[in-house]
Amino acid sequence: MGSPSGFEFAVRGDDAVIRHHGVSAAVLRGARASEFLAEVAQGDPQLLMARLTGNYRRGNERTARQHPRNAR
């Protein structure tokens, strides 16, 4: 599985807007926006934004679907 990419964020007042390939994916407000900005400064911003938007599960869905346990 590759590392996430294509994320960017912008700060508007007290809000943080996260975009994925130019499309708005999430808007963080208030305390969560402040926490996000602090976390971006400390770690990998692409991974953090992918986890916050739910866009981090890529690559193994097809394999899981074909597993005998998941067959219908």
Side-chain angles (χ1 to χ4, degrees):
M1 184 166 90
S3 60
S5 63
F7 288 96
E8 58 187 26
F9 72 94
V11 178
R12 291 190 203 156
D14 293 337
D15 301 344
V17 180
I18 300 174
R19 292 187 196 98
H20 186 240
H21 295 294
V23 178
S24 181
V27 177
L28 304 174
R29 293 184 170 89
R32 188 60 192 123
S34 299
E35 292 172 12
F36 166 73
L37 295 174
E39 290 173 9
V40 163
Q42 295 176 0
D44 180 15
Q46 292 291 311
L47 180 60
L48 177 62
M49 289 184 278
R51 294 192 73 200
L52 286 172
T53 60
N55 192 8
Y56 64 95
R57 297 174 298 164
R58 296 292 181 259
N60 68 346
E61 290 89 356
R62 184 173 298 159
T63 305
R65 188 176 339 131
Q66 294 170 349
H67 191 275
R69 175 183 58 223
N70 297 328
R72 291 182 185 223

